Amino acid sequence: MEFSSKLLENAVYEMSQLPGIGKRTALRLVLHLLKRPETQTAQLSKALTALREDICFCSNCHNISDQELCEICSNPKRDEATVCVVEDIRDVMAIENTGQFVGHYHVLGGKISPIEGVGPQDLSIAQLVAKVKTGKVNELIFALSATMEGDTTNFYIYKQLQGIEVKTSTIARGIPVGDELEYADEVTLGRSIVNRIPFEGSLRIS
Amino acid sequence: MEFSSKLLENAVYEMSQLPGIGKRTALRLVLHLLKRPETQTAQLSKALTALREDICFCSNCHNISDQELCEICSNPKRDEATVCVVEDIRDVMAIENTGQFVGHYHVLGGKISPIEGVGPQDLSIAQLVAKVKTGKVNELIFALSATMEGDTTNFYIYKQLQGIEVKTSTIARGIPVGDELEYADEVTLGRSIVNRIPFEGSLRIS
Ligand SMILES: [Zn+2]
Ligand SMILES: [Zn+2]
């Protein structure tokens, strides 16, 4: 792609660094911004910069939050003894949408994936284990996606918890194996939380 | 969509204002930026802002340019007597890629479209007519997309040129009618420039 302007070329290049955005799409998006008032570009830039610079993670559950403690963790009506372990904020949003869960979350920040170079130390697993060790957690609900990486992560955490008294469960698999949580419909996802089963019962027979 | 962070909500909202980017995709893009180093977001914001604030249009052809006169218009090897009329910069890039055209361009900035509220005064048509009136242009090549709006725009310009001595042609339609120029393959597009036909010959029989 030959550009007549360095400014345009740079903008297209940076836009095309986003996942799923090719050069052609990036050019379309950038030309769209050029046709819109200058304020739209300013607001987009400002919103992205503000988020990236001022982003905060809840010190208790590691969810994205504007305060030190997120709204869920600071809500006295939520049950801190029941902790749902999820990959990222999209899963928190998906489960919150069902209205079926009144406990806390623990956001891992990803799944163990040797291929993508993500190990246990890249996730908030140590913090989760430490939280369970305080004795305040009765039950951990594993709600990672039902993929190889999700299963590996569940099992890794499960092993770390050996000898600590805590109930473990996984959400019921009404959700097709291999599917991402966030694309599940609310009813199925809500039911899978209510009908959760003990983690031991979900282990694959090998 | 319920957000746990206003900063996140704002960033997703602004991102979802881009065409073809829904809320879910916007969230995915924004979460991606959060996982990347802060510099990536800073560079994206900076590139978009710089483009939008410092954008310049060539005073001769109205193409996007970093100087008062673009590289094509300031190149003495290009033939200023042959002017190819296009919708936007993507068409310039597509035709330049063919390597088949050595003339100048005139970028209209869109097509006449009553439905989208784009009239002749919103495009650089008056400037094109004024340029032709100087007598320096031998031939105008219409290379708008072969859609109703493209045909309307061609015809409007053609009428404005009545009584002025200038050859008019349209690029040969090897390109399927209704298709956008920028998606044509280089060979077809290059040939359609070389085999251009007089504009009168391309008028639809009504
Ligand atoms: Zn929290
Ligand atoms: Zn120019």
Side-chain angles (χ1 to χ4, degrees):
Chain A
M1 240 185 220
E2 285 275 343
F3 290 92
S4 60
S5 154
K6 265 278 162 215
L7 289 171
L8 179 65
E9 186 170 5
N10 282 347
V12 170
Y13 173 79
E14 291 297 340
M15 194 65 106
S16 72
Q17 296 303 101
L18 292 172
I21 309 279
K23 279 264 165 127
R24 235 187 244 280
T25 303
L27 178 60
R28 190 167 53 82
L29 297 178
V30 165
L31 290 180
H32 172 86
L33 284 174
L34 277 179
K35 285 187 181 177
R36 307 284 309 155
E38 218 170 297
T39 46
Q40 186 174 335
T41 305
Q43 279 167 6
L44 172 61
S45 297
K46 222 172 107 183
L48 292 179
T49 309
L51 174 70
R52 194 63 190 82
E53 284 178 0
D54 302 335
I55 190 69
C56 224
F57 293 91
C58 172
S59 61
N60 187 46
C61 73
H62 301 271
N63 194 5
I64 293 173
S65 168
D66 292 342
Q67 291 101 29
E68 211 245 315
L69 217 54
C70 77
E71 281 172 29
I72 293 169
C73 290
S74 57
N75 182 348
K77 287 188 188 147
R78 306 283 305 218
D79 170 24
E80 63 170 336
T82 308
V83 175
C84 185
V85 180
V86 294
E87 244 177 272
D88 73 18
I89 189 168
R90 286 177 292 184
D91 303 322
V92 174
M93 289 166 75
I95 294 174
E96 284 299 288
N97 271 341
T98 71
Q100 297 285 322
F101 183 66
V102 294
H104 277 203
Y105 294 92
H106 189 90
V107 180
L108 292 176
K111 293 171 290 201
I112 296 173
S113 169
I115 290 169
E116 292 178 30
V118 180
Q121 72 289 345
D122 300 314
L123 309 173
S124 62
I125 292 177
Q127 293 91 329
L128 175 61
V129 173
K131 198 194 293 183
V132 175
K133 276 186 179 161
T134 63
K136 285 183 190 156
V137 180
N138 288 332
E139 179 179 2
L140 273 195
I141 307 171
F142 292 114
L144 301 199
S145 49
T147 58
M148 178 82 83
E149 287 96 347
D151 288 346
T152 303
T153 311
N154 285 340
F155 193 67
Y156 179 88
I157 297 172
Y158 179 72
K159 292 298 255 183
Q160 299 288 306
L161 296 171
Q162 291 303 306
I164 309 173
E165 204 185 325
V166 64
K167 199 174 142 193
T168 49
S169 57
T170 65
I171 57 172
R173 293 299 175 202
I175 302 160
V177 171
D179 271 16
E180 299 286 339
L181 266 199
E182 55 164 330
Y183 297 115
D185 67 272
E186 293 182 11
V187 175
T188 309
L189 186 56
R191 194 155 302 167
S192 73
I193 290 265
V194 172
N195 297 335
R196 60 190 180 267
I197 55 167
F199 182 68
E200 287 86 350
S202 78
L203 288 177
R204 281 182 181 170
I205 297 145
S206 58
Chain B
M1 240 183 219
E2 285 274 345
F3 289 92
S4 61
S5 154
K6 266 276 162 215
L7 289 171
L8 179 64
E9 187 171 4
N10 282 347
V12 170
Y13 172 79
E14 292 297 340
M15 194 66 106
S16 71
Q17 296 303 100
L18 292 172
I21 308 280
K23 280 263 165 128
R24 234 188 245 279
T25 304
L27 179 60
R28 190 167 55 80
L29 297 178
V30 165
L31 290 180
H32 172 85
L33 284 175
L34 277 178
K35 286 189 179 174
R36 307 285 307 156
E38 219 171 296
T39 47
Q40 186 173 335
T41 306
Q43 280 165 6
L44 172 61
S45 297
K46 223 172 106 184
L48 293 179
T49 309
L51 174 70
R52 193 64 190 80
E53 283 177 1
D54 303 334
I55 189 70
C56 222
F57 293 91
C58 172
S59 61
N60 186 47
C61 72
H62 301 270
N63 194 6
I64 294 173
S65 167
D66 293 342
Q67 291 102 27
E68 212 244 314
L69 218 54
C70 78
E71 281 174 28
I72 294 169
C73 291
S74 58
N75 183 347
K77 287 189 188 148
R78 306 284 306 217
D79 170 24
E80 65 171 333
T82 308
V83 175
C84 184
V85 181
V86 294
E87 245 177 274
D88 72 17
I89 189 169
R90 286 177 291 182
D91 303 323
V92 174
M93 290 165 75
I95 295 174
E96 284 297 290
N97 270 343
T98 71
Q100 297 287 321
F101 183 66
V102 293
H104 277 202
Y105 294 92
H106 188 91
V107 179
L108 292 177
K111 291 170 291 199
I112 295 174
S113 170
I115 290 170
E116 292 177 30
V118 180
Q121 71 289 344
D122 299 315
L123 310 172
S124 62
I125 292 178
Q127 292 92 329
L128 174 61
V129 173
K131 197 194 292 184
V132 175
K133 277 186 179 162
T134 63
K136 286 184 191 156
V137 180
N138 288 331
E139 180 180 1
L140 274 194
I141 306 170
F142 292 114
L144 303 199
S145 48
T147 58
M148 178 83 82
E149 288 95 346
D151 288 344
T152 303
T153 311
N154 285 340
F155 194 67
Y156 179 88
I157 298 171
Y158 178 71
K159 291 299 254 184
Q160 300 286 306
L161 296 172
Q162 291 304 305
I164 309 173
E165 204 185 327
V166 65
K167 198 173 143 194
T168 49
S169 57
T170 65
I171 57 171
R173 293 298 175 206
I175 302 159
V177 171
D179 270 16
E180 299 286 341
L181 266 198
E182 54 163 330
Y183 297 116
D185 67 273
E186 292 181 11
V187 175
T188 309
L189 186 57
R191 193 153 304 167
S192 73
I193 290 264
V194 172
N195 296 335
R196 59 189 181 269
I197 55 166
F199 182 67
E200 288 85 350
S202 79
L203 289 177
R204 281 180 183 172
I205 297 145
S206 59

